[in-house]
Amino acid sequence: MQAAAIPANVPPALLDYATSCALPTPWAEFTLHAWVEASTGKEHLAMALGDLGNGEPVLARVHSECLTGDVMFSQRCDCGAQLEGALRRIAEEGRGIVLYLRQEGRGIGLLNKIRAYRLQEAGADTVEANLQLGFHADARNYELCRPMLDQFGITAVRLMTNNPRKIDALTRLGITVTERVPLLVNRNAHNNSYLNTKQAKLGHMMAPLTSLEQGEPVAPATPASVA
Ligand SMILES: Nc1nc2c(ncn2[C@@H]2O[C@H](COP(=O)(O)OP(=O)(O)OP(=O)(O)O)[C@@H](O)[C@H]2O)c(=O)[nH]1
Ligand SMILES: [Zn+2]
């Protein structure tokens, strides 16, 4: 039997909701939700805590995948500490959500991020490395956030980020960002110039630290805390 044709005026779903489970963490027991992106088959995730659909703005983080930082403890970036900081803060408040988007390497993928790191070892900064590889400085897209937030009836968020593009993107998607909650964690000798480049070239809202010079002793990975 032939499948019924989808009427031309109905946009195709970006995401299919798949399933959920309890996810105990050191800070709280979250609920892990999973979706499948229709066009790529990628699995996107959310960690949710508390009553999210009661109309109060939700403490939220939109986190882009960083395997090296989130899983392998890399100090080249601040991603792992930001993820931990966001989860801790949500646990403290007892309510909130982390959207975990599978757009590794600012959207260029893991292998290309590793290639970009090699170029950075040869002197390029994080933006120049992407451009040398033929990519945009930031190839991410946040449109999936809308159906993910819709799942919980979330229309307004207090967004944990230093990245103005995320605020713009959510606003353009019709989500009200009532507050930006800064997320400044784990600046160290390995990621200091990376963070300075994000501020200078990508518009991130974070003060540059000039006192951390290359070759200085590396600060131990501090427990994540939200500034
Ligand atoms: N191409 C590239 N990607 C990187 C590099 N360092 C980290 N990333 C990626 O950058 C992204 C960082 O994601 P987020 O922490 O959510 O976003 P952000 O733009 O830093 O904004 P906030 O953390 O919200 O302030 C992840 O996808 C990382 O994999 C790099 O040197 N090159
Ligand atoms: Zn990272």
Side-chain angles (χ1 to χ4, degrees), residues 61-66 77 79 82 103-106 108 113 117 120 126 130 140 161-163 166 194 198 204:
R61 169 144 182 88
V62 174
H63 192 86
S64 304
E65 178 178 15
C66 178
C77 59
C79 303
Q82 285 186 310
Q103 36 188 357
E104 171 63 74
R106 294 201 301 274
I108 69 175
K113 184 176 79 171
Y117 279 158
Q120 289 171 56
T126 185
N130 267 34
R140 286 175 291 179
T161 187
N162 311 314
N163 184 346
K166 291 184 181 177
Y194 163 74
K198 286 212 296 191
H204 281 59

Side-chain angles (χ1 to χ4, degrees), residues 22-152:
L23 196 73
T25 71
W27 313 289
E29 180 163 314
F30 290 81
T31 305
L32 180 66
H33 298 268
W35 293 257
V36 178
E37 185 177 359
S39 61
T40 62
K42 282 187 181 176
E43 296 126 342
H44 300 276
L45 303 165
M47 294 172 71
L49 186 69
D51 178 7
L52 301 179
N54 63 8
E56 282 294 305
V58 173
L59 183 63
R61 169 144 182 88
V62 174
H63 192 86
S64 304
E65 178 178 15
C66 178
L67 187 87
T68 46
D70 297 340
V71 177
M72 296 176 174
F73 311 101
S74 170
Q75 301 292 295
R76 298 187 74 128
C77 59
D78 54 349
C79 303
Q82 285 186 310
L83 180 60
E84 181 179 331
L87 294 172
R88 281 178 183 270
R89 176 75 180 253
I90 290 169
E92 279 164 20
E93 295 200 9
R95 179 173 180 267
I97 191 164
V98 172
L99 304 185
Y100 193 89
L101 303 180
R102 309 299 296 282
Q103 36 188 357
E104 171 63 74
R106 294 201 301 274
I108 69 175
L110 179 59
L111 292 185
N112 286 319
K113 184 176 79 171
I114 295 169
R115 292 182 180 114
Y117 279 158
R118 277 185 75 87
L119 292 173
Q120 289 171 56
E121 286 164 11
D125 69 30
T126 185
V127 166
E128 291 163 349
N130 267 34
L131 299 178
Q132 284 177 26
L133 289 169
F135 297 108
H136 292 293
D138 189 342
R140 286 175 291 179
N141 179 320
Y142 297 98
E143 66 178 348
L144 300 182
C145 295
R146 180 63 200 262
M148 293 171 89
L149 294 172
D150 282 351
Q151 185 86 32
F152 306 94

